[in-house]
Amino acid sequence: MPVRLLCIMFLIAASETSMAQEIYREPFRPQVHFSPKAHWMNDPNGLIYFKGNYHLFFQYYPDSTVWGPMHWGHAISTDLLHWKEQPIALFPDSLGYIFSGSAIADSLNTSGFGSNGAIPLIAVFTQHDPAGEQAGTNHFQNQGIAFSLDAGLHWTKYPGNPVLRTPGLKDFRDPKVMWYPPDKKWIMTLAAGDRILFYSSANLKAWNQESEFGAGIGAHGGVWECPDLLPFLVDGKRIWLLIVSINPGGIQGGSGTQYFVGDFDGKKFTPGDTSTRWMDYGADDYAGVTFSNTGKTKIFMGWMSNWKYATKVPTLKWRSTMTIPRILGLKKIGQKYFTTMMPVSLAAISESIKISSQQIHLDGPSRMDFTCSAGNSFSLTFSNDQGQALVFGFDKGKNAFYIDRRKAGRSDFYPSFAAVHYAPRIADSKESAISLILDNTSLEIFADQGLTTMTDIFFPDQPLNDCHIETDSGKAGNLTVTKLKSIWH
Ligand code: FRU
């Protein structure tokens, strides 16, 4: 290759790198969480692992920083931390906007889309017809599919769409599809207003309704959205988890994600009990679902915002961030099963640092791990020189964890943004192990191996890098602080 051409290529690559660094250094830009380069993002969609890559598709409006005609944006990662944004995967068409949905690897080529031995990836999504909605019909949300024969890079919509038409329900969306081996069929879990509908199919094109679940059970302060159904093996017993997002009516108001634990026989979901449980007790973890094709390890990712204020948060060029991907589990406490969520390995971005006192100066995004006696209250205050502060703590009187973001920075964009959020302690052990991830604009808490999790966003004018710890017992045990390197270099 001529030297001049080589030089030009080098200069282009260097200027792209510096542009990327510029973009990801904007005020409020998270450094260890995925956010789109520009424009509006909501729910994670089509989460799938295939041939060494994790695919994150997402609700995306490429023309504005507020919600609009939905596309599927796309990003790829090999470690669930460093994401590379890809061209838009799915565009709106004559059947409507591309709303939320899932993706699966059709290894047996049940769909017949496979050719030359390539395993087809199939995306299943809602097609939302805005004209039908405006005309006041009840027939504007239907399900469509698309396939990819190049491991998720390019997608072709099925000409026979929609594959599942609404029976006349306004809310009929967010299909999550999984393979059900005992019956060799696909199961689609779909949100329909105040309930979940289950459908089955042999080929992903023809769907039959099997059953419904949820009317009158669980939280019903809003519309049910973005479900997920998946099995776990707990102490040798197969237990099914049904995740259901709800908006409004979440635990902290607005958007939240509840779950049910029970049995699924290929047709019907039967809950073990009917108490309402929440995946995350913060205000900012919504529409989360799991990656498909990850074997026994289940990985959950949510949208780190809340419909109450998502379109108003003070980021300038883009809106919204995803949670850190989390390993999802189920644990039995007493007679009940609860979810556990812990961050995926952060080894690829971790730099351990030494701490000499309880007064810590953080060097940007960090992970902290420590233990505390459940009989003592404690608090960690993260602050900056401008008097802005975020507090995370445990209140032994309430037996609850809390995040207080009342003074954590800008909050004038929404009246009740400045608030304290509480989360019950679910574990019954004497010691509580806490892990937390602090990024520029988010705090994620994983208490008691992830039995209680909380996710809150906030918008300080400078990073909240000073950390002060107070405990009844005088000390947090086994404290480690890990500096997290930006994922955007
Ligand atoms: C959840 C949701 C989904 C819908 C999508 C539209 O946040 O309302 O139910 O498919 O967003 O963007």
Side-chain angles (χ1 to χ4, degrees):
M1 190 181 288
V3 175
R4 253 187 79 199
L5 190 60
L6 213 75
C7 285
I8 291 171
M9 281 170 65
F10 174 77
L11 285 175
I12 292 174
S15 87
E16 271 177 9
T17 308
S18 87
M19 241 166 65
Q21 287 176 358
E22 200 88 326
I23 290 173
Y24 292 111
R25 275 203 215 113
E26 297 153 333
F28 307 131
R29 186 65 94 164
Q31 294 301 310
V32 298
H33 291 84
F34 177 77
S35 56
K37 261 188 208 131
H39 303 125
W40 170 266
M41 171 178 86
N42 56 289
D43 316 355
N45 294 152
L47 302 179
I48 184 167
Y49 175 75
F50 191 67
K51 295 205 166 152
N53 282 318
Y54 292 93
H55 293 264
L56 160 62
F57 300 91
F58 48 89
Q59 288 288 278
Y60 188 48
Y61 183 36
D63 295 327
S64 171
T65 49
V66 293
W67 191 91
M70 284 289 112
H71 301 54
W72 272 26
H74 187 196
I76 291 181
S77 173
T78 55
D79 62 4
L80 289 164
L81 298 171
H82 298 89
W83 294 97
K84 210 164 176 216
E85 214 168 315
Q86 304 293 313
I88 290 174
L90 293 169
F91 288 79
D93 59 29
S94 62
L95 297 175
Y97 303 162
I98 312 297
F99 270 20
S100 288
S102 51
I104 40 91
D106 183 14
S107 314
L108 300 176
N109 196 20
T110 63
S111 62
F113 291 133
S115 74
N116 295 331
I119 294 178
L121 298 190
I122 315 287
V124 189
F125 44 82
T126 300
Q127 296 182 290
H128 172 99
D129 171 22
E133 182 183 24
Q134 270 152 31
T137 75
N138 289 338
H139 292 86
F140 53 87
Q141 294 195 336
N142 304 293
Q143 320 314 316
I145 58 178
F147 62 93
S148 167
L149 296 176
D150 62 358
L153 296 182
H154 299 92
W155 294 83
T156 307
K157 289 196 195 112
Y158 174 49
N161 281 341
V163 292
L164 174 59
R165 283 181 193 275
T166 175
L169 298 169
K170 282 189 178 162
D171 296 301
F172 189 70
R173 60 177 177 270
D174 307 341
K176 182 75 161 77
V177 171
M178 58 147 200
W179 180 245
Y180 186 73
D183 295 352
K184 297 198 172 48
K185 64 183 183 187
W186 299 100
I187 297 291
M188 180 197 288
T189 306
L190 197 71
D194 66 346
R195 64 198 66 190
I196 297 299
L197 305 181
F198 297 103
Y199 289 81
S200 70
S201 174
N203 59 10
L204 296 159
K205 293 171 184 160
W207 293 92
N208 298 311
Q209 191 180 332
E210 294 286 358
S211 65
E212 62 172 63
F213 166 78
I217 302 173
H220 279 282
V223 178
W224 284 19
E225 300 184 316
C226 299
D228 195 353
L229 174 72
L230 59 157
F232 287 88
L233 215 52
V234 190
D235 306 328
K237 224 176 138 191
R238 183 152 315 278
I239 310 282
W240 288 81
L241 172 67
L242 176 63
I243 300 174
V244 177
S245 280
I246 174 171
N247 179 65
I251 180 72
Q252 305 298 352
S255 318
T257 302
Q258 60 181 325
Y259 67 92
F260 304 90
V261 180
D263 189 34
F264 182 72
D265 63 3
K267 293 178 182 305
K268 198 172 168 352
F269 177 80
T270 311
D273 63 77
T274 54
S275 58
T276 304
R277 302 169 172 78
W278 298 92
M279 298 285 292
D280 188 299
Y281 282 85
D284 301 296
D285 181 357
Y286 191 61
V289 287
T290 57
F291 282 81
S292 65
N293 209 29
T294 56
K296 283 194 191 119
T297 307
K298 305 296 179 197
I299 304 165
F300 173 98
M301 194 179 206
W303 174 50
M304 203 150 55
S305 198
N306 189 311
W307 280 115
K308 281 202 290 187
Y309 42 71
T311 58
K312 300 187 176 89
V313 297
T315 55
L316 291 178
K317 293 197 183 130
W318 87 100
R319 275 215 175 89
S320 302
T321 302
M322 294 302 176
T323 65
I324 212 79
R326 303 161 178 194
I327 306 285
L328 179 61
L330 268 191
K331 192 171 178 183
K332 199 171 183 190
I333 304 283
Q335 287 313 302
K336 283 188 174 176
Y337 293 91
F338 292 90
T339 54
T340 59
M341 291 202 282
M342 287 301 282
V344 296
S345 168
L346 304 180
I349 55 169
S350 293
E351 242 174 61
S352 68
I353 61 167
K354 288 210 175 70
I355 357 140
S356 46
S357 70
Q358 299 291 97
Q359 182 71 43
I360 303 155
H361 184 76
L362 304 172
D363 187 11
S366 301
R367 172 182 180 143
M368 296 174 74
D369 295 273
F370 57 93
T371 54
C372 266
S373 149
N376 292 316
S377 293
F378 68 79
S379 68
L380 277 74
T381 303
F382 300 97
S383 61
N384 61 19
D385 289 343
Q386 301 182 20
Q388 296 171 328
L390 174 80
V391 187
F392 160 62
F394 177 69
D395 180 328
K396 72 172 174 201
K398 291 193 165 77
N399 195 33
F401 300 98
Y402 63 91
I403 296 179
D404 181 349
R405 67 176 178 191
R406 284 175 300 176
K407 299 202 172 92
R410 301 206 196 163
S411 61
D412 55 352
F413 53 87
Y414 190 80
S416 62
F417 184 83
V420 189
H421 301 134
Y422 284 94
R425 180 164 193 255
I426 293 164
D428 49 15
S429 53
K430 286 203 179 108
E431 280 246 307
S432 189
I434 312 287
S435 301
L436 64 84
I437 298 176
L438 179 77
D439 201 340
N440 291 343
T441 48
S442 64
L443 178 64
E444 289 161 286
I445 304 295
F446 306 91
D448 303 307
Q449 277 80 45
L451 265 175
T452 299
T453 64
M454 296 187 85
T455 303
D456 265 16
I457 56 173
F458 45 87
F459 298 94
D461 292 303
Q462 292 292 324
L464 301 171
N465 278 340
D466 287 313
C467 174
H468 177 75
I469 304 183
E470 266 182 44
T471 68
D472 280 358
S473 60
K475 217 168 164 225
N478 309 317
L479 175 64
T480 63
V481 179
T482 310
K483 175 181 155 64
L484 301 176
K485 290 181 272 190
S486 173
I487 61 174
W488 301 121
H489 291 301

